[in-house]
Amino acid sequence: AAVFAEAESRNIPFTVCQGNNDYSSGITNEDWLKIYAGYKNCIVFDESKDADGRIDFNLEIKASNSDETAFNIWLNDTRSGGITDEQIAWYKTNMENISKHNASVIENMENKDELLEKYGKANSLLFFHIPIEEYKDAWREYSENGFKNTGNVKLIYGVASETGRVVFNSDTPTNLFETMQELGGNHGMFCGHDHVNNLSMDYKGIRLTYGMSIDYIAYADIDTLGSQRGCTVITVINLAS
């Protein structure tokens, strides 16, 4: 892929999150993993070992001068139907284990109270392709309020340019959002799928963001559009203990 070549030529590490379009290609996940392994800077592996063979994994960013995990980047494979209960259980178990590990590392440190506040919950962002229902709920509440913020929803930036349903979320109910609220430490989630939606909302304390698009063939004439094309820069700071 041309975008991979750009990262490779600049020696930039990169990762990939699977979605419905990867399955429509006819390539198996086993073969996708082999393809990704062919790029020296591509970091993709299957960690969840779920029954569907989805490619789910977590990239742990360690603190600069100790063993606690400062930040987590979770990538979940939605296939064509969205996030499953099995994936959520895997995510929850690992989030809890990371939080416990951080607490054990920090326990004997001099400034443990400050560090527990910073790292006691496993700080995380989630990435997946098909949006969950809360994207639809947040946008509906915002739009039905005259496109103004409410007590639950704050538009951070962007617009929703899809027609019809606007948010084409998975039709499979999921408790991922509630699980994130329960666990704490989750700063937000990123999805794709709706190629010309480009917005970010704070919904009940969790950031819901659409990643920008790099495609040229998803919709008719999308190659002539430009407003949805680009990238989102995420800066993670204060990782040092």
Side-chain angles (χ1 to χ4, degrees):
V3 68
F4 288 8
E6 293 294 327
E8 289 281 278
S9 67
R10 291 165 173 78
N11 205 33
I12 300 172
F14 64 96
T15 190
V16 178
C17 189
Q18 296 282 100
N20 61 294
N21 296 316
D22 303 296
Y23 287 86
S24 64
S25 69
I27 300 174
T28 66
N29 274 354
E30 290 79 7
D31 287 335
W32 274 122
L33 289 170
K34 293 176 183 177
I35 291 170
Y36 297 141
Y39 295 90
K40 67 176 182 178
N41 291 303
C42 185
I43 307 171
V44 176
F45 52 96
D46 184 13
E47 193 174 24
S48 68
K49 308 301 181 185
D50 67 309
D52 290 338
R54 301 181 185 218
I55 300 175
D56 305 310
F57 55 104
N58 175 35
L59 299 178
E60 292 188 50
I61 302 174
K62 293 292 186 179
S64 59
N65 59 352
S66 67
D67 189 48
E68 71 261 22
T69 299
F71 212 84
N72 300 272
I73 300 174
W74 299 90
L75 295 103
N76 292 92
D77 182 349
T78 60
R79 298 193 74 165
S80 300
I83 303 293
T84 67
D85 290 343
E86 187 178 9
Q87 288 174 295
I88 295 171
W90 167 80
Y91 160 72
K92 181 178 181 180
T93 297
N94 283 277
M95 279 283 287
E96 291 172 339
N97 288 340
I98 292 168
S99 294
K100 290 176 184 177
H101 170 75
N102 281 358
S104 68
V105 172
I106 292 168
E107 180 60 33
N108 296 319
M109 292 184 177
E110 184 176 336
N111 55 338
K112 70 175 184 179
D113 291 340
E114 176 187 348
L115 293 176
L116 282 171
E117 177 69 23
K118 187 182 291 186
Y119 303 121
K121 299 290 185 180
N123 292 302
S124 301
L125 288 173
L126 278 75
F127 293 80
F128 46 85
H129 185 67
I130 299 177
I132 60 174
E133 189 172 4
E134 280 73 15
Y135 276 80
K136 177 194 70 178
D137 295 341
W139 177 253
R140 177 179 292 171
E141 183 170 326
Y142 176 78
S143 61
E144 290 180 351
N145 194 48
F147 299 96
K148 297 178 181 179
N149 295 336
T150 73
N152 291 325
V153 186
K154 178 182 179 182
L155 180 69
I156 308 300
Y157 64 77
V159 295
S161 299
E162 293 283 348
T163 58
R165 287 172 54 181
V166 180
V167 175
F168 291 80
N169 58 286
S170 169
D171 293 327
T172 303
T174 171
N175 67 341
L176 176 62
F177 190 84
E178 291 80 6
T179 301
M180 292 176 66
Q181 289 180 312
E182 173 192 342
L183 292 171
N186 297 281
H187 299 279
M189 60 183 76
F190 288 76
C191 73
H193 196 56
D194 303 333
H195 294 254
V196 292
N197 283 351
N198 170 28
L199 72 155
S200 184
M201 304 171 285
D202 186 289
Y203 183 55
K204 298 182 179 180
I206 294 178
R207 189 82 166 261
L208 310 181
T209 303
Y210 277 99
M212 298 189 76
S213 174
I214 59 171
D215 65 76
Y216 285 81
I217 59 173
Y219 303 159
D221 300 323
I222 198 170
D223 58 312
T224 65
L225 300 178
S227 60
Q228 86 291 358
R229 191 165 295 121
C231 68
T232 303
V233 177
I234 304 166
T235 303
V236 179
I237 60 175
N238 295 329
L239 297 186
S241 299

Coordinates of all heavy atoms in Angstrom, one line a residue, residues 87-143:
Q87 N -14.6 -9.9 22.9 CA -13.5 -8.9 22.8 C -13.6 -7.9 24.0 O -12.5 -7.5 24.5 CB -13.7 -8.0 21.5 CG -13.4 -8.8 20.2 CD -13.7 -8.0 19.0 OE1 -14.9 -7.7 18.7 NE2 -12.7 -7.6 18.3
I88 N -14.8 -7.6 24.4 CA -14.9 -6.7 25.6 C -14.3 -7.3 26.9 O -13.6 -6.7 27.7 CB -16.3 -6.2 25.8 CG1 -16.8 -5.4 24.6 CG2 -16.5 -5.4 27.1 CD1 -18.3 -5.1 24.6
A89 N -14.6 -8.6 27.0 CA -14.1 -9.4 28.2 C -12.6 -9.4 28.2 O -11.9 -9.3 29.2 CB -14.7 -10.8 28.2
W90 N -12.0 -9.6 27.0 CA -10.5 -9.6 26.8 C -10.0 -8.3 27.2 O -9.0 -8.2 27.9 CB -10.2 -10.0 25.4 CG -8.7 -9.8 25.0 CD1 -7.7 -10.5 25.3 CD2 -8.2 -8.6 24.3 NE1 -6.5 -10.0 24.9 CE2 -6.8 -8.8 24.2 CE3 -8.8 -7.5 23.7 CZ2 -6.0 -7.9 23.5 CZ3 -8.0 -6.6 23.0 CH2 -6.6 -6.8 23.0
Y91 N -10.6 -7.2 26.7 CA -10.1 -5.9 27.0 C -10.2 -5.6 28.5 O -9.3 -5.0 29.1 CB -11.0 -4.9 26.2 CG -11.0 -3.5 26.6 CD1 -9.9 -2.6 26.5 CD2 -12.2 -3.0 27.2 CE1 -10.0 -1.3 26.9 CE2 -12.3 -1.7 27.7 CZ -11.2 -0.8 27.5 OH -11.2 0.5 28.0
K92 N -11.4 -5.9 29.1 CA -11.5 -5.6 30.5 C -10.5 -6.3 31.4 O -9.9 -5.7 32.3 CB -13.0 -6.0 30.9 CG -13.3 -5.7 32.4 CD -14.7 -6.0 32.8 CE -15.0 -5.7 34.2 NZ -16.4 -6.1 34.6
T93 N -10.3 -7.6 31.1 CA -9.4 -8.4 31.9 C -8.0 -7.8 31.8 O -7.3 -7.7 32.8 CB -9.4 -9.9 31.4 OG1 -10.6 -10.5 31.6 CG2 -8.3 -10.7 32.1
N94 N -7.6 -7.4 30.6 CA -6.2 -6.9 30.4 C -6.1 -5.5 31.0 O -5.0 -5.2 31.6 CB -5.8 -6.9 29.0 CG -5.4 -8.3 28.5 OD1 -4.3 -8.7 28.7 ND2 -6.4 -9.0 27.9
M95 N -7.1 -4.7 30.9 CA -7.1 -3.4 31.6 C -6.9 -3.5 33.1 O -6.1 -2.8 33.7 CB -8.4 -2.6 31.3 CG -8.4 -2.0 29.9 SD -7.5 -0.4 29.8 CE -8.5 0.7 30.8
E96 N -7.7 -4.5 33.7 CA -7.6 -4.7 35.1 C -6.2 -5.2 35.5 O -5.6 -4.8 36.5 CB -8.7 -5.6 35.6 CG -10.1 -5.1 35.5 CD -11.2 -6.1 35.7 OE1 -10.9 -7.3 35.6 OE2 -12.3 -5.7 36.1
N97 N -5.7 -6.1 34.7 CA -4.3 -6.6 35.0 C -3.2 -5.5 34.9 O -2.3 -5.5 35.7 CB -4.0 -7.8 34.1 CG -4.8 -9.0 34.3 OD1 -5.3 -9.2 35.4 ND2 -4.9 -9.9 33.4
I98 N -3.4 -4.6 33.9 CA -2.4 -3.6 33.8 C -2.5 -2.6 35.0 O -1.5 -2.2 35.5 CB -2.6 -2.8 32.4 CG1 -2.2 -3.8 31.3 CG2 -1.8 -1.5 32.4 CD1 -2.6 -3.2 29.9
S99 N -3.7 -2.3 35.4 CA -3.9 -1.4 36.5 C -3.3 -2.0 37.8 O -2.6 -1.3 38.6 CB -5.4 -1.1 36.8 OG -5.9 -0.4 35.7
K100 N -3.5 -3.3 38.0 CA -2.9 -4.0 39.2 C -1.4 -4.0 39.1 O -0.7 -3.8 40.1 CB -3.5 -5.5 39.2 CG -4.9 -5.6 39.6 CD -5.4 -7.0 39.5 CE -6.9 -7.1 39.8 NZ -7.4 -8.6 39.7
H101 N -0.9 -4.3 37.9 CA 0.6 -4.2 37.8 C 1.2 -2.9 38.1 O 2.2 -2.7 38.8 CB 1.0 -4.6 36.3 CG 2.4 -4.4 36.0 ND1 3.4 -5.3 36.5 CD2 3.0 -3.4 35.3 CE1 4.6 -4.8 36.1 NE2 4.4 -3.7 35.3
N102 N 0.5 -1.8 37.6 CA 1.0 -0.5 37.8 C 1.0 -0.2 39.3 O 1.9 0.4 39.9 CB 0.1 0.5 37.1 CG 0.5 0.7 35.6 OD1 1.4 0.0 35.1 ND2 -0.3 1.5 34.9
A103 N -0.1 -0.6 40.0 CA -0.2 -0.3 41.4 C 0.9 -1.1 42.2 O 1.5 -0.5 43.1 CB -1.6 -0.8 41.9
S104 N 1.2 -2.3 41.8 CA 2.3 -3.0 42.5 C 3.7 -2.4 42.3 O 4.5 -2.4 43.2 CB 2.3 -4.5 42.0 OG 2.7 -4.6 40.7
V105 N 3.9 -1.9 41.1 CA 5.2 -1.2 40.8 C 5.3 0.1 41.6 O 6.4 0.4 42.1 CB 5.3 -1.0 39.3 CG1 6.6 -0.1 39.0 CG2 5.4 -2.3 38.5
I106 N 4.2 0.8 41.7 CA 4.2 2.1 42.3 C 4.2 2.0 43.8 O 4.7 2.9 44.5 CB 3.0 2.9 41.8 CG1 3.2 3.2 40.3 CG2 2.8 4.2 42.6 CD1 1.9 3.8 39.7
E107 N 3.8 0.9 44.4 CA 3.5 0.8 45.8 C 4.7 1.3 46.7 O 4.5 2.0 47.7 CB 3.1 -0.6 46.2 CG 2.8 -0.8 47.7 CD 1.7 0.0 48.2 OE1 0.7 0.3 47.4 OE2 1.7 0.4 49.4
N108 N 5.9 0.9 46.3 CA 7.1 1.3 47.1 C 7.8 2.5 46.7 O 8.9 2.8 47.2 CB 8.0 0.1 47.2 CG 7.4 -1.2 47.8 OD1 6.7 -1.0 48.8 ND2 7.6 -2.3 47.2
M109 N 7.2 3.3 45.8 CA 7.9 4.5 45.3 C 7.6 5.6 46.3 O 6.6 5.7 46.9 CB 7.4 4.8 43.9 CG 7.9 3.8 42.8 SD 7.4 4.4 41.2 CE 8.2 3.1 40.2
E110 N 8.5 6.6 46.3 CA 8.4 7.7 47.3 C 7.2 8.5 47.0 O 6.5 9.0 47.9 CB 9.7 8.5 47.2 CG 9.8 9.6 48.2 CD 11.1 10.4 48.1 OE1 12.1 9.8 47.7 OE2 11.1 11.6 48.6
N111 N 6.9 8.8 45.8 CA 5.8 9.7 45.4 C 4.6 8.8 44.9 O 4.0 9.1 43.9 CB 6.2 10.7 44.3 CG 6.8 10.0 43.1 OD1 7.3 8.9 43.2 ND2 6.8 10.7 42.0
K112 N 4.3 7.8 45.6 CA 3.3 6.8 45.1 C 1.9 7.4 45.0 O 1.2 7.0 44.1 CB 3.3 5.6 46.0 CG 2.7 5.8 47.4 CD 2.6 4.5 48.2 CE 1.9 4.6 49.5 NZ 1.8 3.3 50.2
D113 N 1.5 8.3 45.9 CA 0.2 8.9 45.8 C 0.0 9.6 44.4 O -1.0 9.5 43.8 CB -0.1 9.8 46.9 CG -0.2 9.1 48.2 OD1 -0.5 7.9 48.2 OD2 -0.1 9.7 49.3
E114 N 1.0 10.4 44.1 CA 1.0 11.1 42.8 C 0.9 10.2 41.6 O 0.2 10.4 40.7 CB 2.2 12.1 42.7 CG 2.3 12.8 41.4 CD 3.6 13.6 41.3 OE1 4.3 13.7 42.3 OE2 3.9 14.0 40.1
L115 N 1.8 9.1 41.7 CA 1.8 8.2 40.6 C 0.6 7.4 40.5 O 0.1 7.0 39.4 CB 3.1 7.3 40.8 CG 4.4 8.0 40.7 CD1 5.5 7.0 41.0 CD2 4.6 8.6 39.3
L116 N 0.0 7.0 41.6 CA -1.3 6.2 41.5 C -2.4 7.1 40.9 O -3.2 6.5 40.2 CB -1.7 5.8 42.9 CG -1.0 4.6 43.5 CD1 -1.3 4.4 45.0 CD2 -1.3 3.3 42.7
E117 N -2.4 8.4 41.2 CA -3.3 9.3 40.5 C -3.1 9.3 39.0 O -4.1 9.3 38.2 CB -3.2 10.7 41.1 CG -4.1 11.7 40.5 CD -5.6 11.5 40.8 OE1 -5.9 10.8 41.8 OE2 -6.4 12.0 40.0
K118 N -1.9 9.2 38.6 CA -1.5 9.3 37.2 C -1.7 8.0 36.5 O -2.2 7.9 35.3 CB -0.1 9.9 37.0 CG 0.3 10.2 35.6 CD 1.7 10.6 35.5 CE 1.9 12.0 36.1 NZ 3.3 12.5 35.9
Y119 N -1.2 6.9 37.1 CA -1.1 5.6 36.4 C -2.0 4.5 37.1 O -2.0 3.4 36.6 CB 0.3 5.1 36.4 CG 1.3 6.1 35.7 CD1 2.4 6.6 36.4 CD2 1.1 6.5 34.4 CE1 3.3 7.4 35.8 CE2 2.0 7.3 33.8 CZ 3.1 7.8 34.5 OH 4.0 8.7 33.9
G120 N -2.7 4.8 38.2 CA -3.4 3.8 38.9 C -4.5 3.1 38.0 O -4.8 2.0 38.2
K121 N -5.1 3.9 37.1 CA -6.0 3.4 36.1 C -5.2 3.3 34.8 O -4.4 4.2 34.5 CB -7.2 4.2 35.9 CG -8.1 4.4 37.2 CD -8.8 3.1 37.5 CE -9.7 3.3 38.7 NZ -10.5 2.1 39.1
A122 N -5.4 2.2 34.1 CA -4.7 2.1 32.8 C -5.1 3.1 31.8 O -6.1 2.9 31.1 CB -4.9 0.6 32.3
N123 N -4.3 4.1 31.6 CA -4.6 5.2 30.7 C -4.7 4.6 29.2 O -3.8 3.9 28.8 CB -3.6 6.3 30.7 CG -3.7 7.1 32.0 OD1 -4.7 7.6 32.4 ND2 -2.6 7.1 32.8
S124 N -5.7 4.9 28.5 CA -5.9 4.2 27.2 C -6.7 5.0 26.2 O -7.5 6.0 26.6 CB -6.8 2.9 27.5 OG -6.1 2.1 28.4
L125 N -6.5 4.7 24.9 CA -7.3 5.0 23.8 C -7.7 3.8 23.1 O -6.9 2.8 23.0 CB -6.6 6.0 22.9 CG -6.4 7.4 23.4 CD1 -5.5 8.2 22.3 CD2 -7.7 8.2 23.6
L126 N -8.9 3.7 22.5 CA -9.3 2.5 21.8 C -9.5 2.9 20.3 O -10.0 4.0 20.0 CB -10.7 2.0 22.3 CG -10.7 1.1 23.5 CD1 -10.4 1.8 24.8 CD2 -12.0 0.3 23.6
F127 N -9.1 2.0 19.4 CA -9.3 2.2 18.0 C -10.0 1.0 17.4 O -9.7 -0.1 17.7 CB -7.9 2.4 17.3 CG -7.2 3.6 17.7 CD1 -6.5 3.7 18.9 CD2 -7.2 4.7 16.9 CE1 -5.8 4.8 19.2 CE2 -6.5 5.9 17.2 CZ -5.8 5.9 18.4
F128 N -11.0 1.3 16.6 CA -11.8 0.2 15.9 C -12.5 0.9 14.7 O -12.5 2.1 14.6 CB -12.8 -0.5 16.8 CG -13.6 0.4 17.6 CD1 -14.8 1.0 17.1 CD2 -13.2 0.8 18.9 CE1 -15.6 1.9 17.9 CE2 -14.0 1.6 19.7 CZ -15.2 2.2 19.2
H129 N -13.0 0.0 13.8 CA -13.5 0.6 12.5 C -14.9 1.0 12.6 O -15.3 2.2 12.3 CB -13.3 -0.4 11.4 CG -13.7 0.1 10.0 ND1 -13.0 1.1 9.4 CD2 -14.7 -0.2 9.2 CE1 -13.5 1.4 8.3 NE2 -14.6 0.7 8.1
I130 N -15.8 0.1 12.9 CA -17.3 0.4 12.9 C -17.7 1.1 14.2 O -17.4 0.6 15.3 CB -18.1 -0.8 12.7 CG1 -17.7 -1.5 11.3 CG2 -19.6 -0.5 12.7 CD1 -18.4 -2.8 11.1
P131 N -18.3 2.3 14.2 CA -18.7 3.0 15.4 C -19.7 2.2 16.2 O -20.5 1.5 15.7 CB -19.3 4.3 14.9 CG -19.7 4.1 13.5 CD -18.7 3.0 13.0
I132 N -19.6 2.4 17.6 CA -20.6 1.8 18.5 C -21.8 2.7 18.6 O -21.8 3.9 18.1 CB -20.0 1.5 19.8 CG1 -19.4 2.8 20.5 CG2 -18.9 0.5 19.7 CD1 -19.0 2.6 21.9
E133 N -22.8 2.3 19.2 CA -24.1 3.0 19.3 C -24.0 4.3 19.9 O -24.8 5.3 19.5 CB -25.1 2.1 20.0 CG -26.5 2.6 20.0 CD -27.5 1.6 20.6 OE1 -27.1 0.6 21.1 OE2 -28.7 1.9 20.5
E134 N -23.1 4.5 20.8 CA -23.0 5.8 21.5 C -22.6 7.0 20.5 O -22.9 8.1 20.8 CB -22.0 5.7 22.7 CG -22.5 5.1 23.9 CD -22.7 3.6 23.8 OE1 -22.2 3.0 22.9 OE2 -23.4 3.0 24.7
Y135 N -21.9 6.6 19.4 CA -21.7 7.7 18.4 C -23.0 8.2 17.9 O -23.2 9.4 17.8 CB -20.9 7.1 17.3 CG -19.4 7.1 17.5 CD1 -18.8 6.1 18.2 CD2 -18.6 8.1 16.9 CE1 -17.4 6.1 18.4 CE2 -17.2 8.0 17.1 CZ -16.6 7.0 17.8 OH -15.2 7.0 18.0
K136 N -23.9 7.3 17.6 CA -25.3 7.7 17.1 C -26.0 8.4 18.2 O -26.6 9.5 17.9 CB -26.1 6.4 16.7 CG -27.5 6.7 16.3 CD -28.3 5.4 16.2 CE -28.6 4.9 17.6 NZ -29.4 3.7 17.6
D137 N -26.0 7.9 19.4 CA -26.7 8.6 20.5 C -26.2 10.0 20.8 O -27.0 10.9 20.9 CB -26.6 7.8 21.8 CG -27.2 6.4 21.7 OD1 -28.1 6.2 20.8 OD2 -26.8 5.5 22.5
A138 N -24.9 10.2 20.7 CA -24.3 11.5 21.0 C -24.7 12.5 19.9 O -25.1 13.6 20.1 CB -22.8 11.4 21.1
W139 N -24.6 12.0 18.6 CA -24.9 12.9 17.5 C -26.4 13.2 17.5 O -26.7 14.4 17.2 CB -24.5 12.3 16.2 CG -24.9 13.1 15.0 CD1 -25.9 12.9 14.1 CD2 -24.3 14.4 14.6 NE1 -25.9 14.0 13.2 CE2 -25.0 14.9 13.5 CE3 -23.2 15.1 15.2 CZ2 -24.7 16.1 12.9 CZ3 -22.9 16.3 14.6 CH2 -23.6 16.8 13.4
R140 N -27.2 12.3 17.8 CA -28.7 12.5 17.8 C -29.0 13.6 18.8 O -29.8 14.5 18.6 CB -29.4 11.2 18.0 CG -30.9 11.4 18.1 CD -31.6 10.1 18.3 NE -31.5 9.2 17.1 CZ -31.8 7.9 17.1 NH1 -32.3 7.3 18.2 NH2 -31.7 7.2 16.0
E141 N -28.4 13.4 20.0 CA -28.7 14.4 21.1 C -28.3 15.8 20.7 O -29.0 16.7 21.0 CB -28.1 13.9 22.4 CG -28.4 14.8 23.6 CD -27.9 14.2 24.9 OE1 -28.0 13.0 25.1 OE2 -27.5 15.0 25.8
Y142 N -27.1 15.8 20.1 CA -26.5 17.1 19.7 C -27.4 17.8 18.6 O -27.7 19.0 18.7 CB -25.1 16.9 19.2 CG -24.4 18.2 18.7 CD1 -23.9 19.2 19.6 CD2 -24.3 18.4 17.3 CE1 -23.3 20.3 19.1 CE2 -23.7 19.5 16.8 CZ -23.2 20.5 17.7 OH -22.6 21.6 17.2
S143 N -27.7 17.0 17.6 CA -28.5 17.5 16.5 C -29.9 17.9 16.8 O -30.5 18.9 16.4 CB -28.5 16.5 15.3 OG -29.1 15.3 15.6

